Amino acid sequence: MSENRQVPALCTWIENGPDESWTLQVDLPASSIPAEAAPEDGQEIFVDLNGVTNRRNVPGGIMVRRPAGDEGGDSVDGAGATRYSIELAVPRGYRGALRFLPVPRGLQVADRPTWLDVLAKGFVPTGDHGLRTVTEMRRKQVLELAAPDARPVNWTGGSRAGAGTSGREEEGRSDVDEQVITLGSAPRWIWTHRPQRGPASAPVLVVFDGERFIRGGLLEAIDELVSPPSAVIAIDHAPVGDDGPDEDAAVGQRADDLVMNPRFCDDVLALVRQTAPEVPVRTIVAGASYGGLAAAFFSLRHPEAFRGICLSPSFWESDDQGSRIWDLTPSGADGEPGGLAGETESRTLEEARTTTVAHPTFSVDHGILETVIADSVAEATEEFAARGIDFAPRPFMGGHEYLWWRELMLVRLAEVLAE
C-alpha cells in the first residue's frame, strides 16, 4: 500500500493496488464547519459522497468525532483541535459531489421526507480545502471530488455564470433573448442564444433544466466549440406567475413536462420551428434524469424532428397510462410507415402517406453507481432492441451526478455536431 498525503488535507487518496478501490480518508476539522451547520446535541455528521454513501445505509457514512488529544488528532486547544474523520472505499476513476450533512444520531435508514430535510442543511467546509466548489442543480453548494485516476474533464463551468448565478441574470448578455412562453400546461422562462460562429444550417439545441445548466456555464462552453449549434433554447420548469417563477411548484411541473408528455413535446417542436424555421436538420434535445427520459421520448414521438442526448435517463418511470418508454416506440421503427403506436392525433393522414419515417436516434449515458437508473437502462436496451432500435449505453464512474452531466452534455453535443 502506498500513500500520497498532504497535510493538512480534507481528502487523502490511498492506493491499495492497481485493480482495487481507492481508500479515501476524509478529515474534517470542527473549525471548518460553518457556525449555522455545527452539529447539535444528538446529531452526527454524515459524508454525502454521491453514489458511494446513501440514505439507505446512514451508518456507512457517519464520521467519527475525534477530540483533542486522541491519537492522530490535533495537539492544540480550541475548536480546531476536534475533527471528524472517516475512511471510504471509492471505485477507481470516480468523480462526484461531496458535502457534509448533520443527521440525527442513530439514524439507520432515512425515509424521503427526513432525507430532504437533512439535505437542506448540508454544507461544505470553510477555508482552504483544496477542492473546487460547485453549485449543483438544486442550487446547493458541493465540492467536486475526483480520484487520482479519474479522466480529465473538458467542462469546468463558466465564469460569467458561476455559483449562485441564475439564468435570468444572463439578461446582461446581448446574445441571450429571455422571454416567458407557455409550453405544455404552464408559462415558464425560455432563454434563446445564437452563437456567433454557429452555422445557419447547424442543428438547434434544446436543453431541459435550462437555468441550471446555464448557471453551470453552458452558453460559454458552447461558444467555445469549433462549430456550435445554430441556436440554443434553454427551458426552465418553474411556472411563472404574477410574482415570478414559483419554485415550490417547479418539482411537480418538471415531472409533468418531462415524463412522456405529448403536449409539452409538440409545443417545444412548435417553438423550435418558430425560432429557427430555416434549419433543415433535426434538433438535438438534451436532458438529465427526467430530462434524459424526455429526450428519448421526443426522438420517439417525432423522429424526423428530434434526436436525443439522454443523461442518466429515468427509464424506470411510467406515463399516466402505465406505459414504459419502449412501449412508445414508433410502429415505423422497422422502416414501415407509422407513428407512435396508438397515436395519430399529431399527424394528418396525408402527412402519414407522404412523409418518410425517420429512425429514432438517441444516445444514453448513465452512472455505474446509480443502480436504479443502470438497471432500467439495461432493461430498456433489450426492450428497444426487440423493437428495432439499437443503442449502446455508455457508463461513467459516478452516481446520479450533475458533475458528470454538465461534462457529457458538451461531449455528446460536440460528437453530434461533428457528424
Side-chain angles (χ1 to χ4, degrees):
M1 177 184 295
S2 64
E3 298 188 14
N4 178 20
R5 290 186 177 270
Q6 296 179 352
V7 181
L10 176 66
C11 296
T12 302
W13 295 97
I14 305 171
E15 186 170 11
N16 300 308
D19 299 321
E20 299 181 38
S21 296
W22 293 93
T23 294
L24 176 65
Q25 175 73 46
V26 185
D27 285 293
L28 175 68
S31 58
S32 67
I33 300 175
E36 65 276 12
E40 303 172 354
D41 290 342
Q43 286 187 324
E44 301 175 292
I45 294 181
F46 177 88
V47 174
D48 184 23
L49 186 59
N50 197 333
V52 176
T53 61
N54 61 70
R55 66 184 178 91
R56 295 173 182 83
N57 177 24
V58 177
I62 295 297
M63 305 188 80
V64 176
R65 183 178 183 274
R66 300 189 183 281
D70 277 12
E71 183 178 354
D74 298 320
S75 60
V76 296
D77 295 328
T82 299
R83 62 186 177 92
Y84 297 82
S85 65
I86 191 172
E87 286 190 353
L88 299 170
V90 179
R92 300 190 70 83
Y94 175 86
R95 182 179 300 277
L98 168 68
R99 62 181 162 178
F100 301 89
L101 312 175
V103 299
R105 188 180 304 279
L107 183 64
Q108 299 293 309
V109 178
D111 57 28
R112 181 172 174 80
T114 299
W115 200 244
L116 290 176
D117 182 62
V118 166
L119 289 174
K121 300 171 184 175
F123 66 91
V124 298
T126 60
D128 183 12
H129 43 64
L131 298 176
R132 186 168 178 270
T133 301
V134 176
T135 301
E136 49 92 83
M137 295 186 76
R138 293 183 178 86
R139 299 179 180 168
K140 299 294 185 182
Q141 287 194 328
V142 297
L143 300 179
E144 183 172 5
L145 188 68
D149 59 341
R151 72 171 180 80
V153 297
N154 297 303
W155 186 358
T156 57
S159 59
R160 281 184 291 188
T165 301
S166 74
R168 287 180 289 279
E169 289 169 328
E170 288 287 287
E171 63 189 47
R173 293 183 58 164
S174 60
D175 56 356
V176 177
D177 176 52
E178 298 184 351
Q179 53 186 318
V180 175
I181 292 180
T182 295
L183 299 174
S185 60
R188 76 282 306 290
W189 280 99
I190 304 293
W191 297 271
T192 305
H193 170 58
R194 296 182 184 272
Q196 269 192 330
R197 293 183 292 106
S201 60
V204 173
L205 171 66
V206 171
V207 181
F208 304 126
D209 296 304
E211 179 184 2
R212 297 170 179 182
F213 281 103
I214 287 175
R215 191 188 318 118
L218 174 66
L219 301 185
E220 291 181 335
I222 286 176
D223 286 341
E224 294 172 0
L225 292 176
V226 173
S227 182
S230 59
V232 180
I233 301 174
I235 300 174
D236 195 28
H237 304 285
V240 176
D242 294 339
D243 298 326
D246 185 351
E247 300 296 345
D248 292 335
V251 173
Q253 185 62 54
R254 180 174 182 270
D256 182 68
D257 289 344
L258 301 179
V259 181
M260 296 174 276
N261 184 332
R263 179 183 172 188
F264 178 73
C265 176
D266 294 351
D267 284 355
V268 172
L269 177 57
L271 173 64
V272 171
R273 288 174 172 169
Q274 178 183 354
T275 303
E278 72 286 355
V279 176
V281 293
R282 287 187 291 178
T283 293
I284 304 166
V285 57
S289 195
Y290 272 176
L293 175 68
F297 175 73
F298 274 41
S299 179
L300 293 171
R301 182 168 176 81
H302 293 295
E304 79 291 346
F306 293 114
R307 62 183 299 169
I309 296 175
C310 309
L311 307 174
S312 299
S314 299
F315 285 163
W316 54 268
E317 183 64 277
S318 301
D319 67 8
D320 54 9
Q321 302 299 315
S323 298
R324 300 286 291 278
I325 183 67
W326 50 81
D327 296 324
L328 305 179
T329 302
S331 58
D334 57 1
E336 295 299 321
L340 275 188
E343 287 197 21
T344 60
E345 73 273 46
S346 67
R347 302 176 64 192
T348 66
L349 181 60
E350 185 60 27
E351 286 175 328
R353 288 172 177 168
T354 60
T355 301
T356 300
V357 176
H359 197 76
T361 306
F362 51 89
S363 64
V364 176
D365 292 87
H366 69 89
I368 291 174
L369 303 180
E370 47 178 350
T371 53
V372 173
I373 296 289
D375 290 346
S376 69
V377 167
E379 183 182 11
T381 303
E382 294 185 4
E383 294 286 354
F384 274 121
R387 292 160 173 79
I389 300 176
D390 293 311
F391 62 89
R394 289 171 282 198
F396 56 83
M397 184 50 72
H400 203 63
E401 181 60 77
Y402 168 72
L403 298 179
W404 275 105
W405 299 337
R406 64 176 191 177
E407 164 77 1
L408 291 171
M409 180 177 292
L410 191 66
V411 171
R412 301 300 171 233
L413 173 62
E415 290 174 353
V416 174
L417 292 171
E419 292 179 357

